[in-house]
Amino acid sequence: MENVSVNVKPALLQKDRARGGFWLVVLGAALWGVDPLFRVLLLETLTSAQIVLLEHVIIGLVMFPIIWKNRKELLGLGWKQVGALLFISWGGSAIATVLFTMGLTNGNLNAVLLLQKLQPLFAIILARLLLKESLPRHFFFLMLMALGGTYLLTFGFTLPIGHWKDFVQVGSLLSLGAAALWGGSTVMGRMMVGQMKYETVTSLRFILALPLLLAFTWSEGAAWNMPSGTAAIAGVSLNLLGQALLPGLLSLLVYYKGLTTTKASVATLAELSFPMVGVLINWIAFQEVITRPQIVGFVLIWAALFVISRQGQNDGAGKTTIQQ
């Protein structure tokens, strides 16, 4: 009789690594949730573009030695890899962050945060198209459920009857734009961490965005209204450092480390920790109470994405290798 050996141990090790990577993505995304704690205070002094530019300058200075150390990884990059890095940097780091910061000034804080949970839908579609990851079962039904939840987050239990400006809320549109770009960045990041060190991808995400952010800030033409007085300047400086190093740099280092062993379509569920922590911060720090329709919308979106993620996790983990 032919012997059949089942390599269970490597399969279990791979499953443990995938689980550990998933929770690293959870932690990295959770750190994004403290972002408004710094950003809302900075908006009292600086514009959205100015905040994002200074954040990237600080992180760029911190991460430049890593780029220099890993400079050999930049040799031989093709146009596909360059395009993915630019999408991550310009789309996910620069444009999306500016849109999100503007959304905080033009809408309900909880709605802006919770609408980020549509980001996984964008990520799953792009993962299917670019990374050939399989779409979950009943995807379109689940997508309709998530869109229904999004409607409740934006309009509540009412019909948006009136002028177009009453129908379209600026903060919600800005948040959705940021979600689409961040969802795409998840897929592009998953592709690049398979080809470069996660520290290199993190560094390039911030450094490559600097020229675009400089152009944004210059075209905006807003004055740099820095506060006067030692105490005020120290307060703004500490908030900038906290914003750049905690929900900025540290969160992305942890996130990309986890993404090295996590499918894009599964990692996107882990990012649900972002809006949940953000809502908690808003409740504690800014007394921004979530409404009943937002709770219902939150549950609908979370349930749809949870089912999608469970399907992806079960399909991609726990397989054993049979050798005959």
Side-chain angles (χ1 to χ4, degrees), residues 80-95:
K80 181 179 180 180
Q81 290 76 26
V82 172
L85 288 170
L86 288 177
F87 188 98
I88 293 169
S89 180
W90 290 10
S93 192
I95 299 174

Side-chain angles (χ1 to χ4, degrees), residues 87 91-92 96 99 115-116 118-123 126 173-187:
F87 188 98
L99 290 177
L115 279 169
Q116 294 306 311
L118 278 185
Q119 174 183 336
L121 296 179
F122 297 110
L126 288 174
L173 291 178
L174 292 171
S175 182
L176 285 173
L181 290 172
W182 277 328
S185 293
T186 298
V187 177

Side-chain angles (χ1 to χ4, degrees), residues 44-62:
E44 297 177 1
T45 305
L46 303 168
T47 67
S48 300
Q50 289 170 347
I51 293 171
V52 178
L53 173 62
L54 291 175
E55 173 190 355
H56 281 65
V57 169
I58 293 171
I59 297 175
L61 291 173
V62 173

Side-chain angles (χ1 to χ4, degrees), residues 108 110 114 152-153 156 288-297:
N108 178 273
N110 282 337
L114 293 174
L152 293 177
L153 289 178
E288 187 78 30
V289 180
I290 188 172
T291 65
R292 186 175 300 173
Q294 286 177 328
I295 293 175
V296 176

Side-chain angles (χ1 to χ4, degrees), residues 7 17 26 38 82 97 100 103 128 132 137 171 194 292 300 319:
N7 294 333
R17 288 183 60 199
V26 169
F38 301 100
V82 172
T97 308
F100 177 71
R128 170 61 175 170
K132 308 305 180 184
R137 295 184 298 275
R292 186 175 300 173
L300 284 175
K319 295 181 180 179

Side-chain angles (χ1 to χ4, degrees), residues 240-312:
L240 275 172
L241 285 173
Q243 164 67 34
L245 299 180
L246 187 58
L249 177 57
L250 180 60
S251 66
L252 265 298
L253 283 172
V254 174
Y255 174 81
Y256 281 120
K257 173 63 174 177
L259 203 58
T260 59
T261 57
T262 308
K263 290 174 60 178
S265 55
V266 175
T268 196
L269 170 71
E271 296 168 17
L272 289 174
S273 59
F274 163 46
M276 288 188 283
V277 171
V279 168
L280 181 62
I281 292 293
N282 282 341
W283 175 51
I284 296 173
F286 305 114
Q287 290 77 51
E288 187 78 30
V289 180
I290 188 172
T291 65
R292 186 175 300 173
Q294 286 177 328
I295 293 175
V296 176
F298 179 91
V299 171
L300 284 175
I301 297 175
W302 189 90
L305 297 178
F306 178 78
V307 172
I308 289 172
S309 172
R310 289 292 296 175
Q311 290 181 14

